[in-house]
Amino acid sequence: MGVPVRGMLLIETSPIEWQAWFYMDVFQEKKPGEKISMADIIHFFKKRSKKGEIKFRPLPLLHEKPVEYPLDQYIKLLEKLGYISKEEEGVFKVEKAFSIPFTSDHGQMMEKNFYDKHKLMMEKGNIQYNRG
């Protein structure tokens, strides 16, 4: 959680916070093999937005992108990382559970390991907002 994705500048709320909401709303109770729909994901996202827990940034000079764009990019990242797989249009299957740290030291170690392992993919996939 808290990883950079394309279009994240559309969301004023920090990535670690909106991705934590995503985890709690969508993944926390899911086990490998269970399904998640994009409609449900967007519903939870918009619900958090209406409550003011996820805030969007008005950026009128950028090309128009839907507010769900960074969320869609995060979903694609989770697919690349093997946490979910696409079953059909708008439906995903949970492939593996998220590991949640129990201490800040453990969290820092997990973050370092994540970026060491996925640094190239993260840099390549997040170079510019308007591509892809």
Side-chain angles (χ1 to χ4, degrees), residues 33-104:
E34 293 185 333
K35 295 184 181 176
I36 300 167
S37 76
M38 193 64 180
D40 287 343
I41 293 169
I42 291 170
H43 167 77
F44 286 122
F45 200 67
K46 286 184 175 180
K47 185 177 172 184
R48 293 285 180 185
S49 175
K50 284 180 185 172
K51 288 180 169 180
E53 295 166 333
I54 296 175
K55 295 181 180 151
F56 296 94
R57 186 178 280 136
L59 298 169
L61 297 179
L62 288 179
H63 295 350
E64 192 62 36
K65 295 272 189 197
V67 293
E68 294 89 4
Y69 180 74
L71 182 59
D72 183 57
Q73 295 301 303
Y74 186 58
I75 295 289
K76 288 178 181 177
L77 176 64
L78 294 177
E79 280 185 272
K80 286 180 185 176
L81 296 173
Y83 286 98
I84 60 174
S85 63
K86 192 172 192 172
E87 288 281 296
E88 58 189 79
E89 193 60 40
V91 179
F92 302 90
K93 181 173 87 171
V94 176
E95 296 293 341
K96 61 183 178 180
F98 282 87
S99 298
I100 304 298
F102 295 103
T103 66
S104 61

Side-chain angles (χ1 to χ4, degrees), residues 1-2 14-26 74:
M1 288 184 276
S14 71
I16 195 162
E17 189 174 344
W18 70 261
Q19 290 170 20
W21 287 125
F22 178 90
Y23 167 77
M24 288 185 285
D25 292 341
V26 178
Y74 186 58

